[in-house]
Amino acid sequence: MVGAPELRQAVVSAVAEGARLVAVDLSDLDFLDSFGIGVIVGALKRLRQRGGDLAVVCPSTRIRRVFEICDLDKILALRQSVDSIAGTALASARPEE
């Protein structure tokens, strides 16, 4: 809950600046509550309304389990590392031939 307002503001600012692909790194997170989940879902909704997407770096099995229990792993791109997002973002940014 402590970082959730900052996360919300960071996503709002990024989208206002034109970002369409946003990554949230939860690598150092020890606890995720419903308020934090709400901010992440809100960020996803905001981005998808503008043709974008959200990726979540979540290497912790315990935190990943929270997303799975809520079935959010089916709508969010959960990644093990920031590096895996970079490859995905580059691949999706390439023009189709």
Side-chain angles (χ1 to χ4, degrees):
M1 187 165 123
V2 173
E6 289 95 7
L7 174 59
R8 179 182 298 148
Q9 187 55 48
V11 171
V12 167
S13 296
V15 171
E17 293 172 8
R20 294 296 173 258
L21 296 172
V22 174
V24 176
D25 187 355
L26 303 181
S27 296
D28 294 331
L29 196 68
D30 293 327
F31 177 77
L32 181 65
D33 64 4
S34 60
F35 189 66
I37 290 171
V39 170
I40 291 171
V41 170
L44 176 66
K45 182 178 177 183
R46 181 179 300 274
L47 284 157
R48 287 197 176 161
Q49 286 173 338
R50 290 160 181 80
D53 207 356
L54 178 74
V56 178
V57 176
C58 185
S60 166
T61 305
R62 199 174 90 199
I63 300 297
R64 183 177 288 267
R65 184 73 183 127
V66 173
F67 288 106
E68 292 168 353
I69 289 169
C70 299
D71 279 338
L72 293 174
D73 60 318
K74 294 176 178 41
I75 62 168
L76 283 168
L78 297 177
R79 305 291 185 206
Q80 288 293 323
S81 69
V82 173
D83 292 339
S84 67
I85 293 171
T88 304
L90 289 174
S92 66
R94 289 190 186 116
E96 305 235 356
E97 296 185 33

